């Protein structure tokens, strides 16, 4: 096992997880990253008392496997749980922030949905299964729960997770749990109730929204710190198989040979020069869209914000005709994210809904955002802190027909023994998904190299 030499391309959370697990198993691992630091889309920064996140803001801890991994990484003592206030989540309706129901009573009384919409939900168990194995999220929700639930619950929810639209995503690939409930139980409600009464498995743990004392980037930094061979500031020119093995060519020179290589580069950056792929394969992978997204991190004096910001944040349905997709109340979510007597708000703009807005210059975008914030949470002062982060390619959209993408990835691997392809374009986009993918991939490599 110790004779196996492996290259990992990309120091995002998937690559780091894979690298650490393989190194712990005795493999010689070399990690290559084009930037000067690890983390990929996970990036935290401190500015005069402000602790901000450029990418993901939280990690949902809900199973023992992830918890064990965090403890192995040495981050168990750095973990911080979200404040209890963060359990409240708002949806914008008719220009006001309305809390999502958190109990049966609040569900009955919520003004978010009409009486007709609430009664419509009761009929959900009687809706037949769809024969379409690649239905969109929008088609599924409207069929099972009605149009109003789609517009004022699922539409903003999808914008908050994928920065995209529910009619452009495949249910089976974007939300496999919902697809499984319909397929296995014939109903979301029946399935959820049945699962609730089953005994909790040994792999389950208390659901908890977490971060770390110094932000989410603490995790990739800790993982990278455990690796023996990290090559930063290496722009990958090509990953090719030669007679002696896999060779990684960067602007710093050629490295290798390696017995295996793991590539976690986003699909939109793939070229024939970079990887051993053909035109047909690139065309299939090129169908995956990464919508542009802008993130504005804004700090205000508490006295200048009328709303108490007593929650996780708010999401905006498309029907509300707003310029923002939603916002996180970051300083409510976790302690020590803003100076005393200040609020930190993280605002998201663009995505698949309004990609043109994401591309605007900072000052123009700020004016647009402040107009929405003023009307939604009440502002009577300018931000005392502001930061604009632009992601020209944010989150891959798992569109209907995504099986072709997955089949193409599997075919490339089959044609190139020793090449492994991983990232948030495969099996989930969240931080926990990517950690799990890294754990699964490392186990797969161990099995395939010891057979």
């Amino acid at each position: 096992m110790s004779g196996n030499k492996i290259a990992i391309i990309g120091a995002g959370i998937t690559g780091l997880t894979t690298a650490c697990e393989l190194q712990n198993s005795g493999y010689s691992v070399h990690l290559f990253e084009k930037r000067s630091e690890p983390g990929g889309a996970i990036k935290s920064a401190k500015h005069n008392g402000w602790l901000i996140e450029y990418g993901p803001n939280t990690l949902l801890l809900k199973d023992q496997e992830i918890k064990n991994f965090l403890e192995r990484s040495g981050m168990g003592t750095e973990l911080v749980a979200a404040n209890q206030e963060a359990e409240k989540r708002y949806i914008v309706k008719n220009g006001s922030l309305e809390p999502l129901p958190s109990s049966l009573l609040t569900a009955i009384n919520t003004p978010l949905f009409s009486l007709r919409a609430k009664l419509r939900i009761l009929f959900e168990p009687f809706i037949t299964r769809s024969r379409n194995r690649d239905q969109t999220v929008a088609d599924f929700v409207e069929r099972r729960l009605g149009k109003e639930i789609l517009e004022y619950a699922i539409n903003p929810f999808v914008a908050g997770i994928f920065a995209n639209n529910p009619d452009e995503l495949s249910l089976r690939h974007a939300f496999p749990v919902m697809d499984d409930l319909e397929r296995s139980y014939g109903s979301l409600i029946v399935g959820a109730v049945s699962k609730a009464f089953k005994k909790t498995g040994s792999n389950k743990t208390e659901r908890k929204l977490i971060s770390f004392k110094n932000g989410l980037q603490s995790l990739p930094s800790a993982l990278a710190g455990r690796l023996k061979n990290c090559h930063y500031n290496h722009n990958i020119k090509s990953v090719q198989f030669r007679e002696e093995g896999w060779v990684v060519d960067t602007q710093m020179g050629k490295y290798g040979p390696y017995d295996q290589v793991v590539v976690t580069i986003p699909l939109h950056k793939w070229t024939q020069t970079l990887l051993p792929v053909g035109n047909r394969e690139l065309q299939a992978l090129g169908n995956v869209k990464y919508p542009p997204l802008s993130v504005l991190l804004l700090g205000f004096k508490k006295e200048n914000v009328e709303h108490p910001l007593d929650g996780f944040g708010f999401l905006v349905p498309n029907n509300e005709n707003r310029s923002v997709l939603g916002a996180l109340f970051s300083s409510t979510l976790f302690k020590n994210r803003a100076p005393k007597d200040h609020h930190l708000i993280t605002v998201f703009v663009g995505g698949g809904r309004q990609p043109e807005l994401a591309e605007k210059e900072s000052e123009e975008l700020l004016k647009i955002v402040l107009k929405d914030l003023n009307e939604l949470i009440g502002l009577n002062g300018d931000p005392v802190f502001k930061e604009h982060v632009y992601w020209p390619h944010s989150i891959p959209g798992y569109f209907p027909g995504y099986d072709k993408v997955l089949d193409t990835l599997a075919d490339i691997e089959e044609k190139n023994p020793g090449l492994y392809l991983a990232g948030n374009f495969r099996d989930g986009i969240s931080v926990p998904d990517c950690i799990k993918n890294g754990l699964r991939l490392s186990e797969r490599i161990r099995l395939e190299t010891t057979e």
Side-chain angles (χ1 to χ4, degrees), residues 40-85:
I42 302 175
K43 180 175 173 59
S44 311
K46 288 185 176 181
H47 298 282
N48 299 320
W50 304 93
L51 175 53
I52 62 175
E53 300 283 5
Y54 287 75
N57 281 258
T58 62
L59 189 160
L60 179 60
L61 184 61
K62 61 180 180 179
D63 62 59
Q64 193 64 38
E65 185 179 27
I66 299 294
K67 186 176 182 181
N68 291 343
F69 174 76
L70 295 179
E71 291 174 354
R72 289 199 303 275
S73 71
M75 293 302 296
T77 58
E78 295 294 306
L79 185 151
V80 292
N83 293 320
Q84 191 171 356
E85 281 184 305

Side-chain angles (χ1 to χ4, degrees), residues 17 21 59-73 79 201-206 210 219 223 427 431-444 446:
T17 301
E21 291 294 297
L59 189 160
L60 179 60
L61 184 61
K62 61 180 180 179
D63 62 59
Q64 193 64 38
E65 185 179 27
I66 299 294
K67 186 176 182 181
N68 291 343
F69 174 76
L70 295 179
E71 291 174 354
R72 289 199 303 275
S73 71
L79 185 151
S202 59
N203 194 41
K204 298 295 181 182
T205 189
E206 179 187 0
I210 67 164
L219 176 59
L223 295 175
D427 300 318
V431 175
D433 286 337
C434 291
I435 292 174
K436 283 188 174 182
N437 290 342
L439 295 174
R440 302 286 183 275
L441 179 55
S442 61
E443 180 62 23
R444 176 185 164 194
R446 283 194 292 266

Side-chain angles (χ1 to χ4, degrees), residues 294 296 349 357 361-369 388:
S294 270
L296 268 70
V349 183
L357 288 182
E361 294 296 326
S362 298
E363 288 306 312
E364 183 181 3
L365 189 59
L366 179 61
K367 291 178 183 178
I368 294 171
V369 166
H388 176 200

Side-chain angles (χ1 to χ4, degrees), residues 200-218:
T200 303
S202 59
N203 194 41
K204 298 295 181 182
T205 189
E206 179 187 0
R207 289 174 63 94
K208 190 183 298 183
L209 203 60
I210 67 164
S211 182
F212 304 99
K213 292 177 184 178
N214 293 308
L216 271 190
Q217 196 177 357
S218 300

Side-chain angles (χ1 to χ4, degrees), residues 19 23 26-31 223-231:
Q23 180 177 277
Y27 292 82
S28 175
V29 177
H30 287 240
L31 180 73
L223 295 175
R226 291 173 171 262
L227 295 173
K228 298 176 182 178
N229 301 293
C230 291
H231 305 281

Side-chain angles (χ1 to χ4, degrees), residues 83 176 196 286-287 344-345 372 390 415:
N83 293 320
N287 290 325
L344 175 63
I345 304 174
D372 270 357
Y390 174 54
K415 291 177 180 177

Side-chain angles (χ1 to χ4, degrees), residues 280-281 284-285 403-413:
R280 183 178 298 178
E281 293 162 325
L285 300 177
D403 281 322
K404 186 173 182 180
V405 173
L406 299 179
D407 290 344
T408 300
L409 295 171
D411 187 54
I412 294 171
E413 290 179 329

Side-chain angles (χ1 to χ4, degrees), residues 19 34 61 84 103 132 148 173 201 238 258 266 292 304 312 317 342-343 352 355 362 375 380 384 412:
K34 73 171 184 177
L61 184 61
Q84 191 171 356
S103 66
N132 180 6
E148 201 171 323
H173 294 294
S238 70
Y258 297 99
N304 291 335
F312 182 91
H342 287 77
H343 286 303
S362 298
E375 294 173 0
N380 51 37
V384 296
I412 294 171

